[in-house]
Amino acid sequence: MILRMLARAARLAARIALAWVAIGSTLTASNPAAALAPDLPRENAVPGGVKILRLDVTGSALPYVDAEGHRALVLQDSPTWVAVFGIPLAAPLGLHQVVVHAANGRQEIEYSVGNKQYASQSLKVAPRQVDLSAADLARFKAERIRIDQALSHWTELAPESLRMSQPVPGPRSSSFGSRRIFNGQSRNPHSGMDIAAPSGTPVLTPIAGTVVDTGEYFFDGNTVFVDHGRGLISMYCHLSAIDVKPGQRIAAGSRIGAVGMTGRATGPHLHWGLVLNRAWVDPELFLP
Ligand SMILES: [Zn+2]
């Protein structure tokens, strides 16, 4: 008898607890201030831009989202998840889709990629930096493999924020995505943001991360790659000094090097690149 009463009391307690959970989640859903939205970049669904999709996925297991051919960054925005992914500069316009693999099954979500007209930019550099010698071409090809490896790094930990400040103060060009013509010859579009600053100006990482690789490259000069988690990688080029080592964990605001003009550069500046799911995206979307 006592056992039966205890069991009834336990069932009643469980029902009350469930009711409280229901009230709790209703309150959270109807009160936007209660749901702490992650710090997201601005959305611009164009080649070189960022698309943000709210997923019909709940629970704490990290969903696997395939966007533009690679694993996308996802963030928990309780009770659901949000995918934040890059659209490659070479992406065709029109309908695209992501594939979501989660505990509740597989979903396909369609989204549309709009047009953005990027300007064209003519630059004059040393002839050997446009018409590569056989030795320089071989060097460049080997470096490309190493750079691709750094950019495809994946760590499970989420970035601490997707809102950033400039890694160096100074005027920034809006030349991301512009078609580049070096000494009259067409080359790949510009895949980052250039910030003009005197040689020696400290370069600070905007958010925490792990240094994936450092090196001295033919075009990019002295370069540092930082992995911020879930496919968000940043790249800092043309440095006059590198102050970090691969494997090093760095906090937001850490000095990683100094501005310079190593590699193919027409003057001292920082080239700042940001990659999401291996696509170069416009860093401007992450700034205030
Ligand atoms: Zn640049």
Side-chain angles (χ1 to χ4, degrees), residues 180 190 192-194 238 269-272:
R180 284 275 169 102
H190 188 224
M193 172 186 280
D194 289 339
H238 310 305
H269 73 281
L270 175 71
H271 173 103
W272 179 34

Side-chain angles (χ1 to χ4, degrees), residues 142-193:
E143 290 176 358
R144 266 266 288 271
I145 295 169
R146 197 163 148 191
I147 291 169
D148 280 348
Q149 274 168 357
L151 299 180
S152 56
H153 215 255
W154 176 273
T155 46
E156 202 84 355
L157 197 68
E160 61 179 353
S161 172
L162 295 181
R163 304 296 299 176
M164 304 186 192
S165 50
Q166 278 185 216
V168 289
R172 52 190 198 236
S173 75
S174 54
S175 63
F176 174 87
S178 61
R179 287 182 299 123
R180 284 275 169 102
I181 298 149
F182 284 100
N183 302 356
Q185 296 188 48
S186 185
R187 289 293 182 267
N188 281 338
H190 188 224
S191 59
M193 172 186 280

Side-chain angles (χ1 to χ4, degrees), residues 7-270:
R8 225 170 69 198
R11 276 202 302 273
L12 197 66
R15 265 210 299 270
I16 292 168
L18 271 177
W20 268 109
V21 169
I23 290 168
S25 55
T26 316
L27 282 177
T28 310
S30 62
N31 179 2
L36 273 177
D39 300 321
L40 299 175
R42 283 190 301 283
E43 184 182 43
N44 192 14
V46 297
V50 171
K51 178 70 191 171
I52 300 172
L53 281 178
R54 194 159 287 277
L55 308 176
D56 182 20
V57 174
T58 53
S60 58
L62 188 66
Y64 188 106
V65 177
D66 192 322
E68 301 291 337
H70 297 285
R71 186 170 189 181
L73 185 151
V74 286
L75 296 170
Q76 194 160 25
D77 184 18
S78 203
T80 59
W81 289 79
V82 179
V84 181
F85 56 91
I87 301 168
L89 274 165
L93 308 184
L95 275 186
H96 290 224
Q97 62 170 221
V98 294
V99 182
V100 182
H101 304 270
N104 59 339
R106 182 184 184 277
Q107 301 167 41
E108 287 171 14
I109 308 173
E110 283 197 332
Y111 63 97
S112 180
V113 173
N115 194 14
K116 179 163 182 184
Q117 219 61 52
Y118 286 111
S120 141
Q121 205 179 14
S122 287
L123 297 153
K124 252 197 129 41
V125 294
R128 64 171 280 269
Q129 292 178 324
V130 179
D131 295 304
L132 272 57
S133 68
D136 286 341
L137 191 63
R139 177 185 163 186
F140 166 68
K141 282 181 174 167
E143 290 176 358
R144 266 266 288 271
I145 295 169
R146 197 163 148 191
I147 291 169
D148 280 348
Q149 274 168 357
L151 299 180
S152 56
H153 215 255
W154 176 273
T155 46
E156 202 84 355
L157 197 68
E160 61 179 353
S161 172
L162 295 181
R163 304 296 299 176
M164 304 186 192
S165 50
Q166 278 185 216
V168 289
R172 52 190 198 236
S173 75
S174 54
S175 63
F176 174 87
S178 61
R179 287 182 299 123
R180 284 275 169 102
I181 298 149
F182 284 100
N183 302 356
Q185 296 188 48
S186 185
R187 289 293 182 267
N188 281 338
H190 188 224
S191 59
M193 172 186 280
D194 289 339
I195 305 170
S199 255
T201 307
V203 176
L204 312 178
T205 180
I207 54 171
T210 304
V211 179
V212 186
D213 204 358
T214 66
E216 196 252 312
Y217 300 108
F218 185 77
F219 288 123
D220 302 317
N222 292 323
T223 298
V224 172
F225 295 93
V226 181
D227 177 0
H228 303 286
R230 297 189 187 169
L232 175 64
I233 315 274
S234 59
M235 183 192 197
Y236 309 83
C237 306
H238 310 305
L239 304 174
S240 57
I242 293 177
D243 300 330
V244 287
K245 288 193 162 49
Q248 196 178 327
R249 181 80 196 157
I250 48 175
S254 302
R255 181 186 163 127
I256 54 169
V259 172
M261 54 176 298
T262 53
R264 186 168 66 184
T266 52
H269 73 281
L270 175 71

